[in-house]
Amino acid sequence: MAPPRLPREVSVDGSPEQEAFFEALRPFHEQRGTPLDLGPRVNGKHIDLFKLFNVVMQRGGYDAVSSEKLAWRKVGQDFNLGQTNTAAYAFALKSVYYKNLAAYELKTIHNKEPPPREILENISAKGGDLLNRTLENFRPPQSRDNLANGQDSDGSGDDEHKTPKEEKMDIDDSGSAGGRATRGLRQAPPQRVLFQPDLSSSRQIRHASGHLHSPQPVAATSAGSYLNNPSSNPNSMSFSIANYEPRPQMPLTLRGVITPGNNPTLFRERQRISREARAGKLGNSTPSYKGMMLPGTGFDGPNIYVRTLLALRSGIPEEQDYALHHLVKISHERGDKYKFEAFPGLAEGLIEKVLEVSSLYYDVKWEISFDEVQSTRETYVLDGMNGTPDILKRIQSLQRLESLDELETERFGQKLTKINEAGLVIRNMSLLDDNADYLSRQPSLRDFLSIALNLPHTYAVIELQHYALDIAEQLTKFWSLDVEDPLYLSLLKQLDGLDRGAILTSLRAISRISMNLDESNRLKGVPISAIQRICEWTLLDDEELVHACLDFLYQFTAVPDNVEYLLTYMPLEPLVNQLVRLLLFNAREMDTKRLVKPAVPAVPATEIPNLPVDLLEQVLKSDEPERSSHWLRACFEEDADSDITQIALWQAYQARFSEFSTPQNALLPAAEFIKNVSSTFSGANAQVINGPNPKFIIKGIRPRHLPMDPKGRLYTRCLWKAPGATKPCGEFLLKPKQIWEHIVQTHIRIPRHEDGRYDFSAVETTRTYNCHWAGCQHFTVTNGTSSPYEVGMHIKTHLPDTSKKAPVRQKHNRTLPHVSNTLTADFADDVDFGGRDAEYIYQTWHNTAVDERGDASGLPLTSVLVLRNLARNLLRMPAGVTPASVLPRAEHAKNGVREEEGWMERLFTAVRARLWFVMAHNRPLAGYVADLMGVVEKGMAAG
């Protein structure tokens, strides 16, 4: 059976190395009996096995990558797998390598026989150490189907499935779950060493080697028990039964029997212990507690996730400190798998913790009630059912605690640290869409965001306020906020501050309101001062902030009432000008060419040209064989498809130089001359065409139409054909000036003074002058002219223009290529046509950023969308509320009549030319700008 063909997406470059790689990989899997996936996909993207193999080899191989923390995530970055769910994609990429390339690596790179497929391809890709894996020392990993049981499919080289250890987190790792470009995760707080009583038995029990290294307020439990105890998962009552797995079979251990003969000392010791035990049964000694379950022993307890949940909900400060410390790390390292729905009460506990921030500044302790009557009666009670609509009024009515400015007590700092940790956990977990959806259904969280954004202006609360803004950015897409909503007013208030991060995140949160809902975001009630500041921020050299401002303006200008609001209270011309400038933001110039006229091949010359007198004098100054080489270069050129007979070339050489041959500088013999041809032209060689009459030729050269001097300059042939002559003059001259002087003196016969000036006084007054250059019929209508000066000036139009103004006069200069279409049929054969090169039109493009599909993206796209919104809404302005009734229109004089100028003309006339330029020179934006210009032209035409 023929081997399977590679999918079209698999081969990226099609290099010979890649083809050889797959040719060796297919028979390897066929011999091993394992399936080979030639077109694997991860996150919908094809994975090139050849590229994946090379990337892993550059990092040291499978075992080296698996042993390094987060290494598979870094490998995934080379394949652009995305910024979300990076852990899952990393493990999927690891599995692709494990199933298809791991055994091949052991065989070809390490020269080792790979393990059987039963302990390699047929099992999961968790773990590493393939180089030392054997049937004897390898135990397959047990499956874990639930996060509550300690599942970790990170695939990123984590050493053990343990509680996160106290270590410095890689906060800025772009591959971490939920990472964002705006702000990295905050550093986890220092771990606290809490009191830990020693209640364990003196005898070592099973799993003793796996005790946690982090402090706990209760007896230490093993990491394995946190991960393997299914009874602690609160999702299902029958979870333990449904996910029960028997323990793996342990190898049988045989022990020798202790006898007085082989070990008398140990035998006597055991006898003594046995006697003491029997004495205890008779009441002669203290009772033994062997076999009894003492407190703190025998039960492993819940896993780390349930443990932190219970500790957070306990209300005990030490327990909550322990829980928050671990939740910060869990939300950072397992944020893509840790969901609120799997742990009921976790979100509520965190919200209750962050609400304690008000107690640091006000004489209040917020309570959450699900009784609507109580929540409306008491100021400190928040409505847990529908949220608290008057939360801002309640905050204003609170009594501020007395404290020294910028001075904090130790207790204050510790409490604020725990509140910040709770806010950080909510912020980290809200980056996952499932968690954000869950949190959006918590009205008390919405109240917390309003409370946090309206805290007193102190440096201590800045961190918590940034967490609140990050949370709002993720959650506002699930909410519909009206003009009087406390959170909406709080977000608008942030635009009046000076904190760039707060302004940036607030703009994003406002722009995302109701994005996931059917209801549109109308953005009512935005102060005109805020809009003016947003328009001014578009002038800054801050791409991130400008992008957030344009996103807001796009949402704002999509509503016709908002456009009317802008026209009423602020000038829009500066905004339109800036938006047009942003259309070419970071544009890259790229030159392309388009064929206008194809190349015309040169017509082969039928005869060898004669050397002009001046060129012949230069050639005769050289001795053989240089003389023949100069003649060959002057009269012949290389052409791989042409040839000339050796006898014709030899005869032409003899005819040209026989009269100049002397004993000191004789002509070359025929054989030497033919060899010199090959020496002069590298592409020329002597050949014999076999047949009845063998033909000796020189392949690779052809005669020139025009001779060429040693400097590479071509001569020009005189095409003056006098009346009655059968052929044109044919004299070769190098410069246009020499040709013109030759025609004036030889053909028109104008006399000259001794000083070289032409004597027009001696010209016959009755003579008629005409132009006979290449069949020219310029004076045919008038039957010639009596002015030799007029004919002389006209002849210059037939000659090449070598002046500095040649490009300007080129379209009026009748040189040979332009005259060829007007030549008579009997004269066209006498004109030298050397062909012409292809003519192209060169276009300079100013292309801006595009996405992975090639569509426009970034600031230019958002700018043109805002401009299109403005133009469409101006065009759709109702008849009762036209721009004319909104503001007085500008008036201008036109032909002495004063006319009113419409808003479409007022805003887009000044930038109209630039918009046409963008449409013509920016491919990604061409369609968007064309749509915009269609609306603008329609509005201008409507007046």
Side-chain angles (χ1 to χ4, degrees):
M1 182 178 66
R5 293 186 177 181
L6 292 174
R8 184 172 298 177
E9 296 86 354
V10 174
S11 178
V12 178
D13 52 4
S15 61
E17 295 81 0
Q18 187 184 42
E19 296 296 335
F21 173 79
F22 284 108
E23 291 298 330
L25 186 61
R26 281 195 294 266
F28 175 80
H29 278 273
E30 292 177 0
Q31 181 180 3
R32 187 170 172 80
T34 54
L36 173 61
D37 186 3
L38 293 174
R41 288 175 176 265
V42 175
N43 192 22
K45 299 182 180 180
H46 290 279
I47 302 300
D48 186 359
L49 294 180
F50 178 67
K51 177 181 177 182
L52 178 60
F53 184 79
N54 290 333
V55 171
V56 174
M57 287 301 101
Q58 291 174 0
R59 294 179 174 269
Y62 178 86
D63 284 351
V65 176
S66 298
S67 62
E68 180 184 349
K69 186 175 182 180
L70 303 178
W72 283 106
R73 297 188 188 185
K74 298 176 182 177
V75 173
Q77 293 176 2
D78 295 338
F79 294 86
N80 194 19
L81 299 181
Q83 296 298 326
T84 60
N85 296 331
T86 54
Y89 299 151
F91 183 74
L93 184 64
K94 178 182 179 182
S95 299
V96 169
Y97 188 93
Y98 182 83
K99 299 290 185 182
N100 298 281
L101 301 172
Y104 183 75
E105 174 192 337
L106 296 176
K107 184 69 175 179
T108 59
I109 303 301
H110 304 288
N111 295 323
K112 287 190 175 183
E113 191 65 28
R117 63 179 183 178
E118 290 76 14
I119 63 173
L120 189 58
E121 289 89 352
N122 292 354
I123 63 175
S124 172
K126 294 181 180 178
D129 198 19
L130 296 182
L131 294 175
N132 301 319
R133 182 179 294 185
T134 62
L135 287 172
E136 291 76 15
N137 65 9
F138 179 72
R139 181 179 301 168
Q142 298 187 20
S143 63
R144 297 175 177 89
D145 300 329
N146 194 283
L147 178 62
N149 288 336
Q151 180 183 10
D152 184 10
S153 60
D154 192 359
S156 302
D158 293 346
D159 296 330
E160 298 290 342
H161 303 286
K162 297 179 179 180
T163 304
K165 298 180 180 180
E166 176 66 23
E167 59 185 10
K168 184 177 181 181
M169 294 187 297
D170 189 4
I171 301 172
D172 297 328
D173 185 3
S174 60
S176 63
R180 296 178 55 232
T182 57
R183 189 182 300 108
L185 295 173
R186 271 62 175 182
Q187 178 66 37
Q191 187 170 356
R192 292 154 183 79
V193 180
L194 304 178
F195 173 73
Q196 177 176 332
D198 186 10
L199 300 178
S200 60
S201 173
S202 60
R203 180 180 177 184
Q204 185 177 7
I205 62 175
R206 187 178 301 173
H207 307 303
S209 61
H211 282 185
L212 292 173
H213 299 285
S214 58
Q216 304 182 36
V218 296
T221 56
S222 63
S225 64
Y226 285 164
L227 300 176
N228 296 324
N229 181 17
S231 63
S232 60
N233 189 349
N235 282 335
S236 173
M237 296 295 294
S238 60
F239 184 84
S240 300
I241 300 176
N243 293 273
Y244 169 75
E245 291 186 3
R247 295 180 181 274
Q249 295 182 358
M250 302 296 294
L252 180 62
T253 302
L254 300 179
R255 299 178 181 177
V257 179
I258 305 301
T259 64
N262 57 21
N263 197 340
T265 304
L266 182 58
F267 181 80
R268 287 193 300 268
E269 181 65 20
R270 288 191 173 184
Q271 289 295 319
R272 183 186 63 80
I273 295 174
S274 178
R275 287 193 299 269
E276 292 179 357
R278 288 194 299 271
K281 292 181 179 180
L282 298 176
N284 297 331
S285 64
T286 58
S288 175
Y289 295 101
K290 182 179 180 181
M292 294 181 62
M293 182 180 294
L294 298 177
T297 62
F299 177 64
D300 293 335
N303 61 33
I304 183 63
Y305 304 105
V306 177
R307 174 73 176 83
T308 54
L309 172 60
L310 298 178
L312 179 65
R313 301 291 290 176
S314 67
I316 303 174
E318 293 78 5
E319 290 284 346
Q320 289 185 340
D321 292 350
Y322 165 82
L324 291 173
H325 166 70
H326 284 280
L327 283 174
V328 168
K329 283 202 167 188
I330 292 173
S331 65
H332 171 45
E333 299 176 358
R334 305 289 187 269
D336 55 342
K337 309 179 187 67
Y338 199 38
K339 298 183 180 180
F340 285 118
E341 292 182 349
F343 302 93
L346 177 59
E348 290 80 357
L350 292 170
I351 295 173
E352 292 176 359
K353 189 65 180 178
V354 293
L355 284 174
E356 296 178 4
V357 67
S358 295
S359 302
L360 300 178
Y361 296 96
Y362 301 103
D363 185 13
V364 66
K365 183 177 181 181
W366 298 112
E367 295 181 4
I368 301 175
S369 174
F370 296 91
D371 185 354
E372 296 183 4
V373 177
Q374 182 183 8
S375 62
T376 57
R377 185 184 305 128
E378 302 292 344
T379 303
Y380 61 89
V381 178
L382 303 178
D383 187 356
M385 292 291 294
N386 304 310
T388 310
D390 60 341
I391 186 65
L392 296 182
K393 294 182 180 179
R394 298 189 184 190
I395 295 174
Q396 294 175 359
S397 64
L398 295 178
Q399 183 67 31
R400 177 75 182 272
L401 296 178
E402 295 183 1
S403 62
L404 297 177
D405 295 340
E406 309 304 333
L407 292 180
E408 302 174 358
T409 63
E410 181 179 3
R411 181 177 175 275
F412 180 96
Q414 293 176 353
K415 190 174 182 179
L416 182 60
T417 299
K418 294 306 164 186
I419 294 173
N420 287 337
E421 289 180 3
L424 177 58
V425 174
I426 299 176
R427 180 260 187 191
N428 291 348
M429 296 187 66
S430 67
L431 298 178
L432 189 65
D433 286 341
D434 292 341
N435 287 336
D437 188 16
Y438 182 89
L439 290 173
S440 67
R441 300 192 296 270
Q442 302 293 326
S444 55
L445 178 63
R446 192 157 160 180
D447 291 338
F448 159 71
L449 297 179
S450 300
I451 294 172
L453 296 179
N454 289 276
L455 289 172
H457 297 287
T458 61
Y459 292 108
V461 299
I462 291 179
E463 182 178 359
L464 183 62
Q465 288 180 335
H466 278 285
Y467 293 156
L469 289 173
D470 287 343
I471 298 169
E473 180 183 351
Q474 301 300 322
L475 270 59
T476 52
K477 58 186 176 183
F478 300 100
W479 292 332
S480 177
L481 306 180
D482 56 27
V483 179
E484 301 298 331
D485 190 278
L487 179 57
Y488 183 68
L489 296 176
S490 301
L491 291 174
L492 291 178
K493 184 180 178 181
Q494 300 298 314
L495 301 181
D496 296 331
L498 300 177
D499 188 339
R500 174 189 175 276
I503 294 172
L504 183 63
T505 314
S506 299
L507 284 172
R508 289 173 173 169
I510 296 172
S511 301
R512 296 185 180 187
I513 294 176
S514 67
M515 182 180 295
N516 289 12
L517 304 178
D518 295 334
E519 183 179 354
S520 60
N521 181 15
R522 305 188 68 84
L523 293 178
K524 294 294 184 179
V526 182
I528 194 63
S529 59
I531 299 177
Q532 289 176 345
R533 295 189 67 188
I534 292 173
C535 295
E536 292 171 358
W537 289 334
T538 60
L539 300 172
L540 299 178
D541 187 16
D542 188 340
E543 182 176 355
E544 194 174 15
L545 180 59
V546 173
H547 201 288
C549 294
L550 292 180
D551 284 341
F552 172 85
L553 291 174
Y554 172 70
Q555 298 288 340
F556 189 81
T557 56
V559 181
D561 293 342
N562 292 343
V563 176
E564 179 184 347
Y565 178 68
L566 292 177
L567 293 173
T568 305
Y569 295 105
M570 64 176 292
L572 290 183
E573 290 86 346
L575 175 62
V576 172
N577 291 336
Q578 175 62 11
L579 292 175
V580 174
R581 283 194 292 268
L582 291 176
L583 295 180
L584 294 178
F585 178 78
N586 282 346
R588 294 180 299 174
E589 292 188 6
M590 180 178 62
D591 294 330
T592 60
K593 62 180 181 179
R594 180 170 60 88
L595 181 64
V596 178
K597 293 182 180 180
V600 177
V603 179
T606 57
E607 58 184 17
I608 302 173
N610 293 324
L611 291 179
V613 177
D614 56 340
L615 182 58
L616 179 61
E617 293 176 354
Q618 297 181 39
V619 173
L620 292 176
K621 293 179 181 179
S622 303
D623 297 334
E624 294 292 353
E626 286 79 8
R627 182 175 64 181
S628 60
S629 296
H630 289 325
W631 175 74
L632 288 171
R633 294 190 188 95
C635 299
F636 294 88
E637 61 183 350
E638 292 191 60
D639 186 358
D641 299 328
S642 301
D643 61 76
I644 185 172
T645 60
Q646 297 181 12
I647 185 64
L649 186 60
W650 165 250
Q651 291 176 352
Y653 169 69
Q654 284 187 319
R656 178 70 276 179
F657 296 105
S658 59
E659 58 179 309
F660 304 105
S661 177
T662 61
Q664 294 79 13
N665 193 12
L667 298 179
L668 291 176
E672 294 296 329
F673 175 75
I674 298 302
K675 290 181 180 179
N676 191 39
V677 175
S678 299
S679 300
T680 304
F681 298 104
S682 59
N685 56 85
Q687 297 181 2
V688 178
I689 301 177
N690 297 322
N693 297 317
K695 186 178 180 181
F696 298 87
I697 63 172
I698 299 294
K699 183 70 173 179
I701 62 172
R702 69 177 182 184
R704 292 183 179 274
H705 291 279
L706 303 173
M708 183 179 68
D709 71 345
K711 295 182 179 181
R713 297 176 297 182
L714 291 176
Y715 282 77
T716 303
R717 174 182 293 177
C718 178
L719 299 180
W720 191 278
K721 185 178 180 181
T726 57
K727 288 185 177 183
C729 170
E731 183 73 20
F732 290 107
L733 298 112
L734 185 59
K735 298 180 181 180
K737 182 179 180 180
Q738 296 174 348
I739 300 175
W740 185 80
E741 292 178 349
H742 162 75
I743 294 173
V744 171
Q745 294 182 14
T746 306
H747 300 298
I748 302 180
R749 299 189 301 275
I750 303 298
R752 305 181 69 170
H753 293 290
E754 295 180 357
D755 57 0
R757 293 182 297 109
Y758 290 99
D759 185 10
F760 292 101
S761 59
V763 175
E764 301 178 11
T765 57
T766 58
R767 181 182 172 185
T768 301
Y769 299 92
N770 209 333
C771 178
H772 301 288
W773 178 273
C776 176
Q777 300 178 4
H778 180 72
F779 296 100
T780 303
V781 179
T782 58
N783 295 324
T785 177
S786 59
S787 172
Y789 177 81
E790 182 180 357
V791 176
M793 293 298 101
H794 166 74
I795 291 173
K796 290 185 177 181
T797 62
H798 294 295
L799 305 179
D801 190 355
T802 58
S803 64
K804 295 181 180 181
K805 297 182 179 181
V808 179
R809 298 187 296 225
Q810 184 63 37
K811 59 182 179 180
H812 305 293
N813 188 14
R814 284 184 279 175
T815 53
L816 278 178
H818 299 280
V819 181
S820 59
N821 294 330
T822 63
L823 299 180
T824 57
D826 59 341
F827 190 77
D829 295 337
D830 297 327
V831 180
D832 295 313
F833 295 99
R836 70 167 182 265
D837 296 333
E839 296 183 13
Y840 297 92
I841 292 180
Y842 291 89
Q843 172 74 39
T844 300
W845 296 95
H846 300 269
N847 294 332
T848 50
V850 296
D851 56 15
E852 61 275 4
R853 297 176 300 177
D855 297 333
S857 63
L859 297 183
L861 175 61
T862 318
S863 300
V864 73
L865 294 180
V866 176
L867 288 170
R868 191 176 64 180
N869 282 348
L870 290 173
R872 287 178 176 178
N873 288 320
L874 287 176
L875 188 63
R876 298 171 184 173
M877 194 71 67
V881 189
T882 60
S885 62
V886 175
L887 278 179
R889 296 182 180 178
E891 296 182 354
H892 60 87
K894 182 178 180 181
N895 298 328
V897 180
R898 299 180 63 84
E899 295 183 358
E900 292 185 344
E901 183 182 31
W903 275 108
M904 192 74 75
E905 296 178 354
R906 180 176 178 178
L907 295 180
F908 290 97
T909 299
V911 298
R912 195 175 179 184
R914 284 189 289 170
L915 290 175
W916 287 119
F917 178 85
V918 173
M919 187 177 69
H921 295 83
N922 192 320
R923 285 178 173 174
L925 292 181
Y928 297 96
V929 179
D931 188 14
L932 169 64
M933 293 304 298
V935 178
V936 171
E937 295 297 328
K938 184 177 179 180
M940 290 184 176

